[in-house]
Amino acid sequence: MARTPAAATTGSPTEGPVGASGRRAERERGQALVMFALVLVVIMGAASLVLDVGVLRNANQTLWNALDAGVLAGATQLPADAAAAETLALKYANTNYKGLNATAGNVSFRCVIGIVGGVPATTRDVPLVCNPGIIPAPVWKCNTAVCATACQPSIGNTCNTIVLSGATTIGYGFGRVVGVATGTTQTVTTSACKGPCGEPPNNPVDVVLIVDRTGSMSGVDTVNARTAADSIRLLYNPAYQWLGLGFLGPSSSTVACSATPAGSIGTAIAPGDVVRWNPVGLSGTGAPVNENFTLSTSKAAKAIACFTNSSTGTDLADPITMAAYLLQTTGRSGVRKGIILETDGQPNASTSTPVNANYCNQANQAATAAKNSGIEIYTIGFGLDGANNVACPDLSGSFKSKKATDLLASMATGPSSDNGCPGSSNKDGDHYYCLPKTAGASTNLSDVFKAVASQLQGATRLIQLP
């Protein structure tokens, strides 16, 4: 007799348990999906925290770099042209960080000076380094190195520091999943200063200072020139700056004072005649004249203290040529080089022939050759105001009938221009300075000498404000 298959039997003992297990598995799968979704949200949130915060941090650093580039570019125009400084700072910042959109509202200026005896060095650095004016009265904030106060170019203040601030918003990637679409960087503020910025000069430069001691600089003018030359000697640091001295006209090397005038202009043939035109070679730590020129016993100090007036004419061409030779052959490789020339008149002599040569043109050619070799030239016209600003003696050429101030502006590293004496010639940021022979000329000439020396060694740098 045939048997009925067990699977077809109603109420099989295996039917209940098999169905319960399937439903339980389905419930567990559903719970797992919910847990996975929750965990995925957590993972996405963590990814947002890690990745988007990293993006924000990177954006903050990029912003900082862009603002640093902006202030360093802008500071190159200070203290002469604050408007150009602002324009350049915004241009560089916006170029280096797309979408920053920094405007004039992000820019401000400061006057940064040094500290003497724990107080702001106003008498030393104002108005030499910068000038915040007296209305409103400056409020100085100081740290252990420098002091700073607000500076407003719009009311005529002279500022040496530019400040730029900004923040920016970026879009998040993973953060959008958890409802955070954007993030904002912190507000970044950075600043850059041009010049010594209140601190001792510490940029290496090789400099030859040429001082006029011709007959028109006799008496009190010689005293003023000596004081001014000493101000550079005491300002510079022999560990960083090397300083040489030249005079108008040449010096005798056979007497106790190396800066005693020679009997005549003589010759200017390198290298034999270099010592006549530069009686004190480059001095400083490790320099050819290896000594601390700030000491009163140094050759530079003695030469400045003992130089007297020369009976020669005013030769501007040969001292420039010989100073350039000294810098090129004994100066340091890769170090900024400069010549500072002070004179109170147009040239009327030289070692070139014929005697009635175009002296101004010769001087300009000598300066051009020095500049083409990479040497910066600063010129200081002393007492070339009004009727004292006489014409060049040139009989032909580009300087015929031109004034002495035109020549000095042309000799200086350019573009430099004669904007009156004093006028704005000491405030336009170029390499030509002018100062009348008036009461207080000793102090004023020293200020100009120090301003030139500071400008020569003072590149722009980032600075931490108090």
Side-chain angles (χ1 to χ4, degrees):
M1 177 174 140
R3 301 181 62 180
T4 304
T9 303
T10 303
S12 169
T14 62
E15 180 180 355
V18 170
S21 176
R23 288 190 296 271
R24 188 163 52 249
E26 290 176 358
R27 287 195 301 270
E28 289 175 353
R29 283 195 296 270
Q31 291 171 353
L33 288 173
V34 173
M35 291 297 296
F36 177 75
L38 293 174
V39 172
L40 183 61
V41 171
V42 173
I43 291 173
M44 295 296 288
S48 171
L49 180 65
V50 174
L51 298 177
D52 287 337
V53 169
V55 170
L56 183 62
R57 183 175 300 169
N58 181 69
N60 192 75
Q61 183 60 55
T62 303
L63 173 63
W64 207 299
N65 293 341
L67 295 184
D68 282 350
V71 293
L72 284 170
T76 62
Q77 305 302 307
L78 296 178
D81 194 339
E86 179 179 304
T87 299
L88 204 56
L90 293 174
K91 175 184 176 181
Y92 271 73
N94 288 321
T95 299
N96 284 280
Y97 196 109
K98 300 297 183 182
L100 175 60
N101 295 324
T103 65
N106 300 93
V107 179
S108 60
F109 295 89
R110 303 288 188 276
C111 173
V112 174
I113 64 174
I115 297 175
V116 174
V119 299
T122 52
T123 56
R124 186 192 72 184
D125 292 348
V126 176
L128 171 63
V129 173
C130 53
N131 187 3
I134 58 175
I135 300 175
V139 178
W140 297 98
K141 295 182 179 180
C142 305
N143 55 26
T144 57
V146 299
C147 295
T149 189
C151 194
Q152 302 178 53
S154 60
I155 62 173
N157 293 170
T158 304
C159 315
N160 64 342
T161 301
I162 184 171
V163 182
L164 185 58
S165 62
T168 188
T169 299
I170 64 168
Y172 281 160
F174 288 97
R176 298 176 186 275
V177 177
V178 292
V180 182
T182 62
T184 302
T185 66
Q186 61 177 291
T187 298
V188 172
T189 300
T190 186
S191 52
C193 180
K194 183 177 179 182
C197 306
E199 297 181 347
N202 57 9
N203 293 322
V205 292
D206 296 342
V207 183
V208 174
L209 172 63
I210 302 174
V211 181
D212 191 343
R213 58 143 177 230
T214 57
S216 58
M217 285 285 294
S218 62
V220 67
D221 293 339
T222 298
V223 175
N224 292 337
R226 183 178 290 126
T227 301
D230 237 15
S231 70
I232 290 183
R233 179 181 69 85
L234 297 174
L235 173 69
Y236 274 168
N237 184 338
Y240 299 102
Q241 293 87 36
W242 286 5
L243 177 65
L245 292 176
F247 295 91
L248 307 180
S251 301
S252 170
S253 59
T254 59
V255 294
C257 176
S258 61
T260 296
S264 63
I265 289 179
T267 59
I269 303 173
D273 291 327
V274 171
V275 69
R276 299 177 64 249
W277 296 92
N278 302 278
V280 180
L282 290 177
S283 306
T285 304
V289 183
N290 187 12
E291 65 178 8
N292 182 351
F293 53 70
T294 64
L295 299 178
S296 60
T297 54
S298 68
K299 291 182 179 179
K302 290 179 178 179
I304 292 172
C306 72
F307 80 79
T308 55
N309 295 108
S310 169
S311 60
T312 65
T314 301
D315 179 357
L316 300 185
D318 293 307
I320 290 289
T321 300
M322 302 305 271
Y325 180 88
L326 184 72
L327 289 168
Q328 292 162 351
T329 57
T330 66
R332 291 169 288 183
S333 176
V335 170
R336 194 174 185 180
K337 295 176 174 58
I339 295 173
I340 302 174
L341 167 68
E342 174 270 324
T343 183
D344 73 341
Q346 86 287 358
N348 55 19
S350 77
T351 60
S352 301
T353 55
V355 175
N356 293 325
N358 294 330
Y359 297 122
C360 285
N361 190 57
Q362 286 182 13
N364 191 64
Q365 288 178 339
T368 299
K371 290 183 287 187
N372 288 342
S373 72
I375 297 172
E376 290 187 47
I377 297 183
Y378 289 81
T379 55
I380 303 171
F382 186 35
L384 297 181
D385 52 314
N388 298 319
N389 188 19
V390 298
C392 287
D394 295 33
L395 301 178
S396 62
S398 57
F399 287 94
K400 180 181 179 180
S401 303
K402 290 290 186 67
K403 299 293 187 179
T405 53
D406 294 323
L407 169 66
L408 293 179
S410 180
M411 291 177 67
T413 295
S416 294
S417 57
D418 172 22
N419 292 322
C421 185
S424 60
S425 285
N426 299 354
K427 301 177 182 179
D428 56 6
D430 64 17
H431 287 52
Y432 167 64
Y433 288 69
C434 189
L435 188 72
K437 293 180 179 180
T438 58
S442 176
T443 299
N444 295 336
L445 188 59
S446 294
D447 285 346
V448 169
F449 269 48
K450 289 188 291 184
V452 171
S454 296
Q455 185 178 344
L456 177 59
Q457 71 84 40
T460 63
R461 62 184 176 89
L462 297 173
I463 187 171
Q464 184 67 46
L465 292 175

